[in-house]
Amino acid sequence: MEKFGQVLLIEDDSIVRQATAQWLELAGFTVVTCETGHAAIDAMSPSFSGVVVSDVKLPDIDGISLIAQLQDIVPQLPVILITGHGDIDMAVSALRLGAFDFLEKPFDPARLTDAVKKGLAQSENEKKRGDREAYLEQLHGLERVLIGSSPQMQRVRDQIVRLADMDTNVIIYGETGCGKELVAESLHRHSQRNAAEFVALNCAAIPENLFESELFGHEQGAFTGATKSRIGKLEFADQGSVFLDEVESVPLAMQIKLLRAIQEQQIERVGTNKLKDINIRCIAAAKEDLKDNPNFRQDLYYRLNVSQICIPPLRERVQDIILLFEYFCSEHRSTRSLSINDQDTLAGYAWPGNVRELRNVATQFALDSSVSVGEILASGPDTTPASSENRLPLAIRMQNAERQILQEALRRHKGHIQAVMDELDLPRRTINQKMQKHGLNRADYISNDGGK
């Protein structure tokens, strides 16, 4: 029989303890039993990676105190409480203080099995989260700047290391938001030019009539408004590196002048005929291949395209998404955990804005504990909610709708599960499963009378 995981069962009634343990073992779990709370605390170790199932009323310790002491040993330990009808208030308090779930006596054994499976899934999720945190903590150098454990990102880092000291011009290709400037700066920082300036220039943001002055500088009186001399970006980058982002936006008339400056390593300020020697490395970036772009000079393309680095879009390195998301959350000192449903949503999304969009979603998630990942994505910051929702896969859109319906029903009925069951025409087991799936906690909606 397949073994699903370990369960620590705490029950002082020997008959109930034996029957419950037998059921769990038949369901495929490895069960360890204890008669008292203190015996369970003694048996617990930091390496435990299973689920605790405990009666609320024990002869030596109450359920809430037990949760706190067990979670001191194993943080985020899933604890499922078994309660009598009169213990509902205590169970609700326990949920608020960290219990994973509670079942009312008499309970359906299949419901217990489902709850334990979900608890084990959470436990495994927390273990993976710990592994990711440990991975992030040991990162250094380039791995700390360009985070990602995927083969694609390792290849990008390897290319940077290989090209850094070759001092050749480089074109970086990648979609919007994938980190082209970060890669360019990393090339500079790991090169022998790192003591000089790294000068970044967004070519698409410069008005055409100011382009020449911005690149090459100008002398006083060279044109109306030139009240004093000013050095250009290429001269300022002397002995260092210049990064030409969105280089495809350079006006055609300026491309020949840029080509000459890069090729001859000389610039001429606007308003003078005097040439000035410079020594720069040119790193360019574009969203698409420049070779077949009719508005980009082929001779400039070949001058820039001595080497190239292609940054993969986020959707092609899915294994990095959760890692990056949690890293961005940690920048805000957030302790929120991603539910399994949240992780599925992140992995299933297309990320048209790449890492920049991921950082934005992570920031919202870290700062607002009331919203899920799906809700943030469905109301993207740069679009209307409807058009943003349309970018999500159908399965995720259906999950978002289901979560919203369930939330509204719980809120409307103040956590009364029977009323929610009646409204949605669903059995209790299905309601419980969907609440677990969407990370909804009954204690957040429950009324003071217990919300049966």
Side-chain angles (χ1 to χ4, degrees):
M1 177 185 295
E2 179 184 1
K3 291 293 182 181
F4 293 113
Q6 189 172 16
V7 178
L8 176 62
L9 174 63
I10 312 166
E11 171 60 65
D12 60 316
D13 187 314
S14 60
I15 296 176
V16 175
R17 184 173 65 249
Q18 183 177 358
T20 306
Q22 185 176 31
W23 172 265
L24 290 170
E25 287 171 347
L26 288 172
F29 302 105
T30 299
V31 183
V32 176
T33 61
C34 291
E35 295 183 28
T36 66
H38 287 120
I41 293 168
D42 292 340
M44 184 58 60
S45 71
S47 62
F48 182 80
S49 59
V51 172
V52 171
V53 176
S54 176
D55 196 351
V56 166
K57 292 290 183 66
L58 295 170
D60 57 341
I61 188 171
D62 66 82
I64 293 177
S65 299
L66 178 62
I67 291 172
Q69 293 186 54
L70 290 175
Q71 290 185 341
D72 280 343
I73 302 171
V74 182
Q76 306 298 323
L77 175 68
V79 179
I80 299 169
L81 297 177
I82 308 297
T83 73
H85 179 70
D87 302 326
I88 293 295
D89 288 342
M90 179 188 290
V92 170
S93 298
L95 284 176
R96 293 194 175 103
L97 294 173
F100 179 73
D101 200 357
F102 73 88
L103 306 180
E104 300 173 48
K105 297 177 182 176
F107 58 85
D108 180 358
R111 169 73 180 97
L112 174 61
T113 300
D114 289 341
V116 170
K117 286 181 179 178
K118 292 183 182 300
L120 287 169
Q122 175 177 288
S123 181
E124 178 64 20
N125 188 36
E126 288 299 324
K127 179 179 181 301
K128 289 180 179 178
R129 182 190 185 195
D131 291 343
R132 289 191 294 269
E133 288 177 349
Y135 173 80
L136 288 170
E137 287 176 2
Q138 57 86 34
L139 294 180
H140 61 278
L142 194 55
E143 289 184 332
R144 188 73 183 177
V145 176
L146 296 169
I147 295 172
S149 60
S150 65
Q152 297 96 319
M153 282 310 296
Q154 183 58 56
R155 184 160 53 248
V156 169
R157 291 192 293 263
D158 289 345
Q159 284 182 290
I160 290 171
V161 171
R162 179 172 56 84
L163 294 174
D165 281 330
M166 293 179 67
D167 212 36
T168 58
N169 295 329
V170 178
I171 292 183
I172 302 170
Y173 288 109
E175 296 178 2
T176 297
C178 67
K180 296 186 288 293
E181 183 170 346
L182 199 58
V183 170
E185 188 169 3
S186 296
L187 270 171
H188 173 76
R189 299 300 173 205
H190 286 77
S191 74
Q192 295 179 359
R193 295 178 177 269
N194 58 17
E197 296 290 340
F198 171 78
V199 179
L201 191 67
N202 188 327
C203 300
I206 304 172
E208 186 170 349
N209 63 325
L210 297 179
F211 215 101
E212 185 172 9
S213 172
E214 193 71 20
L215 280 180
F216 305 114
H218 60 259
E219 295 293 333
Q220 183 177 357
F223 50 82
T224 302
T227 57
K228 59 182 179 180
S229 298
R230 179 178 181 272
I231 67 171
K233 298 295 187 184
L234 300 184
E235 186 176 347
F236 186 61
D238 188 27
Q239 306 303 316
S241 307
V242 63
F243 174 55
L244 302 175
D245 196 11
E246 299 192 68
V247 69
E248 66 270 27
S249 301
V250 175
L252 200 57
M254 286 301 305
Q255 291 180 24
I256 186 62
K257 294 183 179 182
L258 178 60
L259 169 64
R260 186 172 183 82
I262 296 171
Q263 182 172 289
E264 303 299 331
Q265 293 286 289
Q266 290 182 322
I267 57 101
E268 184 179 307
R269 290 185 186 178
V270 177
T272 182
N273 294 321
K274 185 178 179 180
L275 293 173
K276 179 174 178 58
D277 291 335
I278 57 172
N279 183 342
I280 61 171
R281 180 187 200 177
C282 189
I283 305 170
K287 293 188 283 290
E288 297 177 349
D289 194 345
L290 298 171
K291 187 175 183 180
D292 300 320
N293 187 331
N295 296 316
F296 199 83
R297 292 180 62 99
Q298 291 294 293
D299 46 5
L300 179 56
Y301 166 78
Y302 289 118
R303 176 59 58 181
L304 294 174
N305 194 53
V306 179
S307 300
Q308 64 176 244
I309 296 175
C310 295
I311 308 175
L314 197 55
R315 63 181 174 275
E316 292 181 5
R317 50 187 184 105
V318 176
Q319 73 184 75
D320 292 338
I321 291 174
I322 307 302
L323 186 69
L324 282 165
F325 189 93
E326 290 180 341
Y327 173 75
F328 294 144
C329 285
S330 72
E331 292 182 326
H332 301 280
R333 303 183 183 279
S334 171
T335 58
R336 281 193 77 183
S337 295
L338 283 167
S339 69
I340 295 174
N341 189 50
D342 281 334
Q343 293 185 40
D344 290 343
T345 301
L346 289 170
Y349 184 58
W351 297 108
N354 288 289
V355 179
R356 184 180 294 127
E357 184 180 11
L358 181 70
R359 180 190 285 275
N360 179 276
V361 174
T363 299
Q364 293 183 65
F365 181 83
L367 298 180
D368 187 351
S369 61
S370 68
V371 296
S372 68
V373 167
E375 289 170 326
I376 297 170
L377 289 174
S379 57
D382 55 350
T383 62
T384 63
S387 62
S388 179
E389 174 75 16
N390 290 340
R391 297 182 305 181
L392 297 172
L394 177 60
I396 294 176
R397 281 188 255 170
M398 292 177 67
Q399 288 177 6
N400 290 342
E402 182 179 79
R403 186 180 195 273
Q404 183 177 358
I405 292 169
L406 191 54
Q407 270 186 312
E408 291 173 353
L410 285 164
R411 189 177 295 113
R412 192 158 44 247
H413 298 295
K414 299 180 180 180
H416 285 259
I417 298 299
Q418 185 60 54
V420 174
M421 291 164 54
D422 293 342
E423 177 185 329
L424 301 181
D425 193 22
L426 291 173
R428 179 182 289 268
R429 178 178 176 183
T430 301
I431 293 289
N432 288 331
Q433 287 175 336
K434 291 185 181 298
M435 288 176 64
Q436 292 284 350
K437 172 185 174 183
H438 295 296
L440 299 178
N441 192 333
R442 179 184 176 193
D444 294 335
Y445 306 91
I446 204 164
S447 61
N448 292 330
D449 63 358
K452 297 179 185 179

